[in-house]
Amino acid sequence: MAVQITGIDPKSHAERAGLKSGDTLISINGHEIEDVLDYMFYAAENSTVIVYEREGEQHKTRIRKSEYDDLGMQFESFLMDRKRSCSNNCIFCFIDQMPPGMRETLYFKDDDARLSFLQGNYVTLTNLTDRDVQRIIDMRLNINVSVHTTNPELRCKMMHNRFAGDKLRYIKMIADSGLMLNCQIVCCPGYNDGDELRRTLNDLYSLMPHIQSVAIVPVGVTKFREGLPHLDIFDSKGAGEVIDIIGEVQEKCLAEFGTKMAFAADEFYLTAGRPLPEGEFYEDYPQYENGVGLCRSLIDEVHSAIEMAEYDGGKRKVTIACGTAVAPVQRSLAEDIMAAFPDVTVQVVPILNRFFGETITVTGLITAGDLIDQLKPLDLGDELLISKAMLKADEPIFLDDKHIDDVISALNVKVTPVANDGFEYLDAVLGIEW
Ligand code: SF4
């Protein structure tokens, strides 16, 4: 497969070698280029022979450069290929539980191993072939895998894919090659919790030290499940049991390998009503992106920030809007801040998720509509702080497609999105702008 070059960076190696936008890249060092992984892998060498096509004729040029120096070619899409969608129909899929009419990109079910390497996405391995897995191994690419269960029949059932069980062998193949895997388990009560979770964690433990980390996250169940199998959410007893089962493997893994390997998402502790573990429990926070240790990290950072901050801004009142699950953590932080800065009042308002259903309790899935409806009757003070997780990464747009300006004008208050960073959080509460 050849790939069209859509741009050449000025003063780049490619420009100096005479390549032009519109040329077609055929091969690098004799390897056909199918996608961005081939390009990154083969273009990393310090001597590259590029074969390209221009106006129907093939040309060859050699580029000498430092290893890993970019050649400077641009392509139509980041992957240089179509994004791969998943071949599953998981009973817990959040996309299947979204209301109709949301922006189209939110409905795309990606399951692309290349995005695992490039962006840290988790993939199920179900749409890979033996050749794809061999390529991952040959390129020495560490991968993030949505395991869910290591019971083959249960995996087929949970993912509604008759090949999902067989594809588990890729996990072993990758681990046996010496590569590292990060894993994720979406835990569904009555399916892959209890002894099934114990079995999965022990199977992953048997692959140590090639399992870097495992996040166990609770299933999210919205009110839009018509036609889908019934799914329960965790109650406090079930959440506590999950923490205890994970604790069994953590203990033996720590003794043998010096790492706990598996970690429960914060939601389990909040649902179980158990204290959050201390910072050192999370080692170097390997599963932060999966919601493991976010609360602890925020608490510790806010406490450090309080120690270092000075405030002489006078009376100030802010409102923090958050998901219902994390409200106790936010309230406790608010009390600590108010004790340290008596002129500052912090009001925490847990927002019920009426858009997806009240069983959805995380902050990142709160919409502008719910913020407006529930905050309108309140005195919000000088500023409303929301989490950046409620917004698109590149635009201040909420999941219900409303802009942050819609919230500002509806509530008539300054609205500031804040990252999950304790220093930024305290600055926002105190109104310190950098
Ligand atoms: S792999 Fe499962 S959960 Fe992920 S997008 Fe596909 S169906 Fe949904």
Side-chain angles (χ1 to χ4, degrees):
M1 197 184 87
V3 195
Q4 177 101 35
I5 300 169
T6 56
I8 298 287
D9 294 343
K11 301 194 175 97
S12 63
H13 294 291
E15 187 184 66
R16 282 195 288 273
L19 283 141
K20 292 198 170 123
S21 175
D23 291 345
T24 302
L25 177 61
I26 308 285
S27 67
I28 299 178
N29 287 348
H31 301 280
E32 275 190 32
I33 302 301
E34 286 183 17
D35 63 14
V36 65
L37 290 191
D38 285 336
Y39 177 69
M40 287 171 70
F41 189 71
Y42 296 116
E45 291 173 28
N46 40 26
S47 175
T48 52
V49 175
I50 313 273
V51 176
Y52 62 97
E53 193 177 287
R54 183 179 298 162
E55 292 165 1
E57 275 187 37
Q58 284 205 358
H59 304 268
K60 192 186 272 190
T61 182
R62 181 183 291 276
I63 295 178
R64 291 185 200 282
K65 61 179 187 59
S66 306
E67 206 178 2
Y68 302 115
D69 244 17
D70 187 23
L71 290 173
M73 297 181 205
Q74 302 293 330
F75 304 94
E76 198 174 340
S77 71
F78 167 62
L79 284 175
M80 301 166 64
D81 189 16
R82 271 184 330 138
K83 210 191 264 187
R84 284 195 196 173
S85 62
C86 86
S87 53
N88 311 312
N89 209 353
C90 302
I91 53 165
F92 50 82
C93 183
F94 196 82
I95 295 170
D96 291 339
Q97 305 180 63
M98 297 199 309
M102 297 177 72
R103 57 179 176 271
E104 208 179 311
T105 48
L106 292 171
Y107 295 99
F108 184 73
K109 296 181 169 185
D110 87 68
D111 195 17
D112 197 314
R114 298 165 299 185
L115 292 176
S116 181
F117 170 65
L118 297 167
Q119 295 180 344
N121 294 16
Y122 278 75
V123 292
T124 65
L125 308 175
T126 52
N127 60 5
L128 298 189
T129 61
D130 288 15
R131 182 178 167 268
D132 293 328
V133 176
Q134 194 53 53
R135 189 166 84 120
I136 288 168
I137 292 170
D138 292 343
M139 291 187 175
R140 311 306 297 156
L141 305 176
N142 293 329
I143 192 160
N144 298 339
V145 180
S146 292
V147 178
H148 306 315
T149 171
T150 52
N151 175 341
E153 293 81 40
L154 180 59
R155 197 167 195 253
C156 292
K157 181 177 165 188
M158 290 185 74
M159 298 174 74
H160 272 196
N161 179 337
R162 66 195 167 98
F163 303 108
D166 175 55
K167 301 287 178 168
L168 283 166
R169 68 192 161 85
Y170 290 155
I171 296 177
K172 181 153 173 30
M173 232 171 111
I174 294 168
D176 285 349
S177 77
L179 288 172
M180 300 296 287
L181 296 103
N182 287 298
C183 303
Q184 180 194 57
I185 295 168
V186 175
C187 205
C188 305
Y191 282 89
N192 57 345
D193 59 346
D195 281 342
E196 290 293 348
L197 178 60
R198 201 171 267 119
R199 166 186 175 156
T200 300
L201 293 176
N202 280 318
D203 286 344
L204 294 175
Y205 168 67
S206 73
L207 300 175
M208 286 295 283
H210 300 294
I211 304 297
Q212 201 153 25
S213 65
V214 184
I216 297 88
V217 301
V219 62
V221 176
T222 79
K223 63 184 181 186
F224 301 100
R225 285 198 63 87
E226 214 180 289
L228 299 173
H230 175 79
L231 265 186
D232 289 318
I233 54 170
F234 279 100
D235 58 15
S236 63
K237 182 168 172 281
E241 279 168 10
V242 167
I243 295 169
D244 292 339
I245 290 169
I246 298 168
E248 295 166 16
V249 81
Q250 283 174 334
E251 201 177 317
K252 60 184 181 182
C253 213
L254 190 61
E256 196 175 344
F257 298 101
T259 170
K260 295 184 192 72
M261 185 188 84
F263 298 90
D266 293 1
E267 270 182 275
F268 282 112
Y269 291 94
L270 298 168
T271 306
R274 293 201 189 176
L276 294 162
E278 295 300 321
E280 56 269 27
F281 176 89
Y282 292 106
E283 301 173 5
D284 56 355
Y285 289 86
Q287 286 283 355
Y288 185 86
E289 301 300 329
N290 266 322
V292 176
L294 257 73
C295 289
R296 171 49 63 197
S297 141
L298 181 70
I299 293 166
D300 288 352
E301 285 170 358
V302 170
H303 288 166
S304 302
I306 288 174
E307 303 262 300
M308 294 157 67
E310 286 173 16
Y311 179 72
D312 57 6
K315 291 276 179 210
R316 175 172 167 81
K317 176 180 172 181
V318 296
T319 298
I320 293 177
C322 63
T324 52
V326 82
V329 173
Q330 293 285 358
R331 286 203 178 101
S332 155
L333 284 176
E335 279 165 21
D336 295 341
I337 293 171
M338 289 190 286
F341 307 101
D343 279 346
V344 177
T345 303
V346 184
Q347 167 179 244
V348 173
V349 184
I351 303 292
L352 292 172
N353 198 322
R354 299 205 171 112
F355 185 87
F356 286 113
E358 292 180 17
T359 46
I360 297 297
T361 58
V362 294
T363 300
L365 294 173
I366 292 173
T367 54
D370 276 337
L371 285 176
I372 294 168
D373 290 348
Q374 293 171 53
L375 295 176
K376 208 160 177 69
L378 304 180
D379 168 14
L380 302 176
D382 301 300
E383 196 166 341
L384 169 66
L385 308 183
I386 60 168
S387 167
K388 274 188 181 159
M390 296 177 195
L391 304 169
K392 272 176 85 175
D394 52 350
E395 279 180 288
I397 308 264
F398 291 84
L399 279 167
D400 56 358
D401 258 350
K402 289 198 169 69
H403 195 276
I404 196 164
D405 290 345
D406 297 325
V407 179
I408 294 170
S409 59
L411 298 176
N412 197 23
V413 71
K414 181 179 178 191
V415 180
T416 303
V418 184
N420 196 70
D421 172 304
F423 293 90
E424 185 176 327
Y425 181 101
L426 187 67
D427 282 349
V429 169
L430 300 181
I432 298 169
E433 288 178 23
W434 292 92

